[in-house]
């Protein structure tokens, strides 16, 4: 008995999580290739250019900053050398070592000019024991601090030492508002050879300005180069897109020809079998049945029984041949549509005294492409055949409806079931393989759920376009 589920609604529990996935989901594999569009390629190229520009800009910013720091430190060292040789050391006297007022009176105007001309932020002159002999900030004069390693190195191995200043040291208490400074140590000597340490600080803004100059020059070259590459790639991209489109069209035409050839060949084989072997088997069945009747009328019961058995065998073979014709070329699917073909399929289960409930959304069935309809038909056919042959169900449901962006086929029975798994099927793997192949050919998702005594459910999702 077949019942229309539109009149007898029932929800099949297809939302459980015991499904075994047999074919990949439509979102994981695209059945149809998206057409290649030149606009999309241009957008992708532009995005790639932006990504490259951002990456190079980040790296370039770091490189230019480091390069500017190195150059700034080098320039500060040279400037400090020049100041020490030309202005500071010639003005030093041995009397200044004990007379801080004399040091201030002589060195203050020289240092003041240096601060203006050489853009020096701070000047300190140290004795070897860490006392500040002179500074442009009078608050530091006479104070004693521990010389850091760079200062000691500059004194012990006479050399100019330059770098980024660590303004957390105690002697830099009055420079911390600047946050970062370039610092240079350079030894100088009094007329009698007493070593002193000349320390000069320079604003970090010179590094920032130099880095900006380097970046502006670099960015101009970068932008013009990327723009040139982008323009040069456009004709190449156009040629590749055109070639890819031609290849896609050629594959689509070849696929359509193959599908048409396959359908034509199946139709020819089905027609040949129907007009040949099927008709001959039908004629043989009638002839043997007539011979059995004549033998029975003549009183030869043994011969009549033998002929009746032969006729039954021929009829069974004829039924199998007709089923094979439906498998090879389901005429109802092409002539009457998917909905009618699916309803016709349920007759084989209803013939086994099972209650069949059918719920098919005609709009969903019509939206499927021809190859998708055939795949749905094949999966439903195999699922119903397995149910009728192996499960001995009392109730079977066949549903085709919309589920989100997909058309969902669900075939469920309350039969004997089996242990479901990727390598388990009720008919020795063959039926499962047929359903999986049909789903994979159209990029559909196929899942199976079954348990001994718990029935079987087959679910197929086809993406609607």
């Amino acid at each position: 008995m077949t019942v229309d589920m539109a009149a007898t609604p029932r929800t099949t529990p297809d939302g459980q999580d015991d499904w075994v996935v047999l074919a990949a989901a439509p979102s994981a594999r695209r059945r149809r290739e998206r057409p290649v569009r030149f606009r999309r390629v241009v957008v992708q190229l532009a995005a790639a250019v932006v990504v490259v520009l951002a990456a190079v800009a980040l790296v370039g910013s770091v490189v230019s900053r480091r390069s500017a720091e190195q150059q700034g430190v080098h320039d500060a060292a040279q400037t400090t050398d020049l100041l020490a040789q030309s202005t500071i050391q010639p003005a030093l006297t041995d009397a200044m070592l004990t007379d801080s007022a004399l040091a201030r009176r002589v060195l203050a105007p020289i240092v003041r000019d240096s601060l203006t001309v050489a853009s020096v932020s701070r000047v300190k002159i140290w004795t070897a024991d860490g006392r500040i002999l002179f500074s442009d900030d009078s608050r530091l004069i006479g104070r004693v601090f521990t010389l850091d390693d760079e200062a000691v190195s500059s004194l012990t191995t006479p050399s100019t030492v330059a770098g980024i200043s660590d303004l957390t040291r105690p002697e830099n208490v009055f420079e911390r508002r600047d946050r970062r400074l370039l610092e240079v140590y350079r030894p100088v000597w009094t007329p009698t050879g007493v070593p002193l340490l000349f320390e000069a600080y320079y604003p970090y803004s010179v590094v920032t300005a130099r880095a900006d100059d380097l970046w502006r020059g670099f960015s101009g070259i970068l932008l013009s180069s990327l723009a040139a590459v982008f323009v040069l790639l456009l004709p190449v991209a156009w040629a590749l897109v055109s070639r890819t489109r031609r290849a896609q069209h050629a594959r689509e035409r070849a696929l359509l020809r193959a599908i048409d050839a396959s359908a034509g060949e199946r139709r020819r084989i089905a027609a040949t079998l129907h007009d040949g072997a099927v008709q001959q088997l039908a004629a043989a069945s009638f002839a043997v049945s007539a011979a059995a009747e004549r033998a029975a009328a003549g009183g030869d019961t043994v011969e009549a029984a033998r002929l009746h058995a032969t006729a039954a065998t021929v009829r069974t073979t004829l039924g199998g041949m007709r089923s094979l014709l439906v498998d090879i070329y389901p005429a109802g699917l092409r002539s009457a549509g998917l909905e009618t073909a699916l309803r016709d399929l349920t007759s084989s289960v209803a013939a086994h005294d099972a209650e069949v409930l059918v719920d098919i959304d005609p709009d969903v069935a019509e939206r499927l492409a021809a190859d998708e309809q055939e795949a749905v038909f094949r999966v439903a056919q195999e699922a119903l055949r397995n149910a009728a042959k192996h499960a001995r169900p009392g109730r079977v449901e066949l549903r085709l409806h919309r589920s989100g962006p997909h058309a969902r086929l669900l075939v469920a029975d309350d039969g004997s079931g089996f242990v479901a798994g990727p390598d388990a099927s009720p008919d020795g793997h063959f039926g499962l393989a047929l359903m999986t192949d049909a789903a994979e050919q159209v990029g559909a998702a196929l899942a199976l759920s079954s348990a001994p005594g718990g029935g079987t459910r087959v679910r197929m999702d086809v993406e609607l376009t």
Side-chain angles (χ1 to χ4, degrees):
M1 176 180 65
T2 300
V3 180
D4 193 331
M5 291 182 66
T8 309
R10 177 170 181 249
T11 302
T12 302
D14 60 343
Q16 299 179 10
D17 57 359
D18 56 346
W19 293 94
V20 177
V21 177
L22 305 178
S27 59
R29 53 182 297 168
R30 301 296 299 179
R31 178 174 56 86
R32 295 183 177 88
E33 294 185 55
R34 297 175 62 184
V36 179
R37 301 185 184 278
F38 182 67
R39 179 183 300 175
R40 187 192 310 160
V41 174
V42 172
V43 171
Q44 290 173 346
L45 280 176
V49 168
V50 171
V51 171
V52 171
L53 179 62
V56 175
L58 178 62
V59 175
S61 176
V62 174
V63 171
S64 62
R65 174 71 57 163
R66 290 182 178 178
S67 177
E69 281 188 353
Q70 293 175 355
Q71 188 62 43
V73 168
H74 179 266
D75 291 348
Q78 287 187 327
T79 301
T80 303
D81 272 338
L82 181 62
L83 288 174
Q85 293 176 2
S86 62
T87 60
I88 301 300
Q89 185 164 303
L92 293 176
T93 63
D94 291 295
M96 293 180 183
L97 297 175
T98 57
D99 190 347
S100 58
L102 174 61
R104 175 186 287 184
R105 187 168 59 254
V106 174
L107 295 175
I110 298 174
V111 169
R112 186 169 52 251
D113 294 339
S114 299
L115 294 176
T116 303
V117 175
S119 299
V120 180
S121 296
R122 174 78 69 234
V123 166
K124 300 173 186 175
I125 299 177
W126 301 72
T127 62
D129 57 0
R131 179 171 59 90
I132 298 179
L133 180 65
F134 174 80
S135 174
D136 61 296
D137 189 334
S138 59
R139 293 173 295 181
L140 292 171
I141 297 176
R143 298 185 63 176
V144 179
F145 301 96
T146 301
L147 293 176
D148 57 36
D149 295 338
E150 291 83 1
V152 173
S153 174
S154 179
L155 279 173
T156 55
T157 58
S159 60
T160 301
V161 179
I164 306 300
S165 180
D166 178 10
L167 298 181
T168 62
R169 294 193 299 259
E171 66 268 21
N172 298 119
V173 64
F174 301 121
E175 291 88 42
R176 290 173 188 166
R177 57 184 176 81
D178 295 314
R179 296 200 300 180
R180 302 188 79 183
L181 292 171
L182 299 180
E183 181 180 25
V184 184
Y185 292 112
R186 206 277 192 183
V188 290
W189 293 267
T190 65
T192 60
V194 177
L196 298 174
L197 187 65
F198 175 49
E199 182 182 18
Y201 293 85
Y202 298 86
Y204 193 80
S205 58
V206 297
V207 173
T208 304
R210 187 180 297 274
D212 291 342
D213 291 340
L214 290 174
W215 171 240
R216 278 194 293 270
F218 175 73
S219 61
I221 297 174
L222 173 65
L223 289 174
S224 59
S225 300
L226 289 177
V229 170
F230 181 75
V231 172
L232 290 174
L233 284 178
L234 287 180
V236 177
W238 175 257
L240 291 176
V241 168
S242 300
R243 183 176 298 179
T244 303
R245 284 176 178 173
R246 290 194 297 269
Q248 284 183 338
H249 293 159
R251 286 198 301 270
E252 290 173 358
R253 289 193 297 269
L255 179 61
L256 290 176
R257 286 196 297 269
I259 293 174
D260 292 341
S262 176
E265 186 64 15
R266 286 194 306 229
R267 185 167 54 248
R268 185 188 66 79
I269 293 173
T272 300
L273 290 175
H274 182 271
D275 296 338
V278 171
Q279 299 300 328
Q280 292 168 6
L281 286 172
S285 175
F286 289 133
V288 174
S289 295
E293 294 297 332
R294 287 194 298 271
D300 190 350
T301 56
V302 175
E303 181 67 14
R306 186 177 65 82
L307 291 173
H308 277 303
T310 301
T313 301
V314 174
R315 285 194 296 272
T316 300
T317 304
L318 179 61
M321 185 66 72
R322 285 173 173 164
S323 297
L324 178 61
L325 290 179
V326 174
D327 288 344
I328 294 175
Y329 190 73
L333 178 60
R334 280 133 182 103
S335 59
L338 179 60
E339 180 182 3
T340 302
L342 290 176
R343 293 184 185 276
D344 289 343
L345 281 178
T346 59
S347 60
S348 62
V349 184
H352 289 76
D353 298 326
E355 179 186 7
V356 181
L357 294 92
V358 181
D359 180 14
I360 298 175
D361 188 335
D363 294 333
V364 174
E366 291 176 1
R367 285 192 59 182
L368 294 173
D371 56 342
E372 294 170 338
Q373 290 187 7
E374 183 167 349
V376 169
F377 178 85
R378 296 291 182 190
V379 171
Q381 183 184 46
E382 194 60 38
L384 291 172
R385 178 185 296 159
N386 290 336
K389 185 177 180 181
H390 302 282
R392 298 181 299 279
R395 182 187 184 95
V396 177
E397 297 182 14
L398 187 150
R399 303 176 64 195
L400 180 64
H401 62 282
R402 185 184 183 99
S403 177
H406 305 131
R408 171 167 292 180
L409 169 71
L410 180 68
V411 180
D413 67 70
D414 61 358
S416 57
F418 62 99
V419 178
D423 299 322
S425 69
D427 56 346
H429 304 284
F430 185 66
L432 185 62
L434 289 177
M435 289 190 288
T436 302
D437 288 344
E440 287 182 342
Q441 286 177 2
V442 294
L446 182 66
L448 174 73
S449 175
S450 186
T456 302
R457 291 170 294 161
V458 176
R459 185 182 68 198
M460 179 181 181
D461 286 337
V462 183
E463 187 174 0
L464 294 172
T465 56

